[in-house]
Amino acid sequence: METLSAQPSTKNVSATPTPPKKRKKGIWQSIVQQRYLYLMSLPFVIWVFVFSYLPIWGWTMAFQNYKPAKSFADQKWVGFDNFVRLFQDERFYLVLRNTLAMSILGMIVSFVFPITFAILLNELRGKFFKRTVQTVSYLPHFVSWVVVGGIITKMLSIDGGIVNELLIWLGITDQPIQFMAKGHWFWGILTASDVWKETGWNAIIYLAAITGIDKELYEAARVDGAGRFRQIWNITLPGIRTTIAVLLIMSIGHLIGIGFEKQFQLSNALVTDYSEVLDIYALKYGINIAHFSYGTAISMFTSVVGIVLLLLANGIMKKTTKESIM
């Protein structure tokens, strides 16, 4: 008998086919595939370009002795003279002090109060009461600062103001206190007004972040005997740490660019040395006195310093907490 070979024949064995490599989509192919999303975002891109990037061309006025009647080519270039004048003005440092003081106070309370309010609101068990409190708390956000300024001024008025009436009724004072005439009280009044108006609105994002925390962590903590305070400290706060870090970085970027609506509505001639901020300072010189170049230099300083602070805050946060917005 013939001995059969134990070795298998390899002549008819076909090689395993190699799967084709996936080709990466080109940028144009991706745009075509997601064209509706790009079209939906196009109006917002145009809006940002027109109102945020196109006006940067106006920064050239900071280096000119700008005259509205002359064309761009006929303007007189003065280099950094407007910035030298800015840093030699004593009023600038007073205004910078006010801006930093109100901004830092606002930044502190805009984190402490909304975070605390969001955590306390999250601890409520009654859904109807919880939703009612949340709705009532963020309604003041939609009230204009013109209206809020009138309400605050009326409440603190010496002529029938509810605050003075309450203080007299409680026996704390015998005569009405002129709150709006005391400059060193202005920062506190402004900060308290901002807390009332914005706490509920600012708490929404923290409530959303708390909602995203895994519920099983709380159940495991309760099994281990952790009370509510321990759960807040060890689960809730670490769970929203990323949100807090991102909002803190963005707030630092607006440290000296805080706007002027609040200060403009609550200010008066008696507290100008405490209420005037950089934006009002730029408005006075740029519009009221028609020193357009000097006003532009003030606004340019505010924007550049804001960008630098944003980059520094982002870099420090990235190294210390590994959180970043860039």
Side-chain angles (χ1 to χ4, degrees), residues 143-255:
V143 181
S144 170
W145 268 109
V146 177
V147 178
V148 173
I151 293 173
I152 299 300
T153 303
K154 184 61 179 176
M155 289 178 62
L156 299 178
S157 174
I158 61 174
D159 185 17
I162 187 173
V163 175
N164 276 308
E165 293 289 338
L166 183 61
L167 292 176
I168 293 173
W169 182 72
L170 293 174
I172 298 176
T173 180
D174 297 330
Q175 295 181 351
I177 301 173
Q178 296 182 344
F179 290 100
M180 303 305 295
K182 298 182 181 295
H184 57 280
W185 286 9
F186 183 82
W187 298 346
I189 294 172
L190 183 82
T191 304
S193 304
D194 199 28
V195 168
W196 171 77
K197 188 175 185 299
E198 302 295 342
T199 293
W201 180 260
N202 293 335
I204 292 176
I205 190 168
Y206 297 112
L207 281 170
I210 293 173
T211 305
I213 300 175
D214 190 356
K215 303 301 180 184
E216 293 183 358
L217 296 175
Y218 293 100
E219 294 176 3
R222 284 193 291 268
V223 170
D224 291 339
R228 286 194 175 185
F229 180 78
R230 284 292 180 183
Q231 294 176 36
I232 291 171
W233 185 259
N234 295 312
I235 299 175
T236 306
L237 287 176
I240 62 175
R241 183 183 62 182
T242 301
T243 304
I244 296 174
V246 170
L247 294 179
L248 178 61
I249 293 171
M250 295 177 67
S251 297
I252 293 175
H254 293 88
L255 196 62

Side-chain angles (χ1 to χ4, degrees), residues 2-300:
E2 295 181 358
T3 306
L4 297 175
S5 175
Q7 296 181 352
S9 175
T10 58
K11 292 181 180 181
N12 298 326
V13 177
S14 60
T16 305
T18 305
K21 295 182 178 180
K22 294 183 179 179
R23 297 179 61 184
K24 292 183 178 180
K25 295 181 179 179
I27 183 171
W28 293 111
Q29 188 177 359
S30 177
I31 291 175
V32 171
Q33 185 178 1
Q34 302 182 22
R35 57 189 178 275
Y36 296 113
L37 293 177
Y38 285 106
L39 287 174
M40 288 174 60
S41 62
L42 186 61
F44 301 100
V45 174
I46 295 174
W47 185 89
V48 171
F49 176 77
V50 171
F51 291 100
S52 297
Y53 288 95
L54 199 59
I56 293 178
W57 172 257
W59 280 8
T60 56
M61 288 193 297
F63 306 97
Q64 300 171 342
N65 184 15
Y66 181 77
K67 303 295 182 184
K70 295 182 179 180
S71 64
F72 180 80
D74 295 331
Q75 299 293 337
K76 180 182 177 182
W77 293 85
V78 296
F80 291 93
D81 288 356
N82 289 312
F83 293 96
V84 173
R85 176 187 168 191
L86 175 64
F87 294 121
Q88 289 178 348
D89 188 2
E90 295 181 359
R91 187 71 183 178
F92 165 73
Y93 295 100
L94 177 66
V95 171
L96 183 62
R97 180 206 67 178
N98 297 338
T99 305
L100 290 174
M102 283 183 273
S103 182
I104 291 172
L105 284 173
M107 187 172 63
I108 292 173
V109 301
S110 66
F111 278 92
V112 175
F113 282 87
I115 292 172
T116 305
F117 180 72
I119 291 174
L120 293 177
L121 200 61
N122 184 66
E123 293 298 316
L124 293 177
R125 294 294 177 258
K127 291 185 178 180
F128 177 77
F129 181 70
K130 179 178 179 180
R131 292 174 181 174
T132 303
V133 172
Q134 184 178 357
T135 302
V136 172
S137 66
Y138 70 66
L139 283 179
H141 170 78
F142 300 99
V143 181
S144 170
W145 268 109
V146 177
V147 178
V148 173
I151 293 173
I152 299 300
T153 303
K154 184 61 179 176
M155 289 178 62
L156 299 178
S157 174
I158 61 174
D159 185 17
I162 187 173
V163 175
N164 276 308
E165 293 289 338
L166 183 61
L167 292 176
I168 293 173
W169 182 72
L170 293 174
I172 298 176
T173 180
D174 297 330
Q175 295 181 351
I177 301 173
Q178 296 182 344
F179 290 100
M180 303 305 295
K182 298 182 181 295
H184 57 280
W185 286 9
F186 183 82
W187 298 346
I189 294 172
L190 183 82
T191 304
S193 304
D194 199 28
V195 168
W196 171 77
K197 188 175 185 299
E198 302 295 342
T199 293
W201 180 260
N202 293 335
I204 292 176
I205 190 168
Y206 297 112
L207 281 170
I210 293 173
T211 305
I213 300 175
D214 190 356
K215 303 301 180 184
E216 293 183 358
L217 296 175
Y218 293 100
E219 294 176 3
R222 284 193 291 268
V223 170
D224 291 339
R228 286 194 175 185
F229 180 78
R230 284 292 180 183
Q231 294 176 36
I232 291 171
W233 185 259
N234 295 312
I235 299 175
T236 306
L237 287 176
I240 62 175
R241 183 183 62 182
T242 301
T243 304
I244 296 174
V246 170
L247 294 179
L248 178 61
I249 293 171
M250 295 177 67
S251 297
I252 293 175
H254 293 88
L255 196 62
I256 65 172
I258 60 174
F260 66 92
E261 294 87 355
K262 299 176 284 187
Q263 294 81 4
F264 189 80
Q265 296 299 327
L266 294 174
S267 178
N268 57 69
L270 298 175
V271 296
T272 303
D273 289 343
Y274 290 87
S275 64
E276 190 174 358
V277 293
L278 282 170
D279 288 333
I280 296 179
Y281 184 59
L283 182 65
K284 284 183 176 180
Y285 279 94
I287 303 298
N288 295 355
I289 310 179
H291 289 178
F292 301 106
S293 297
Y294 189 62
T296 304
I298 299 169
S299 299
M300 185 176 175

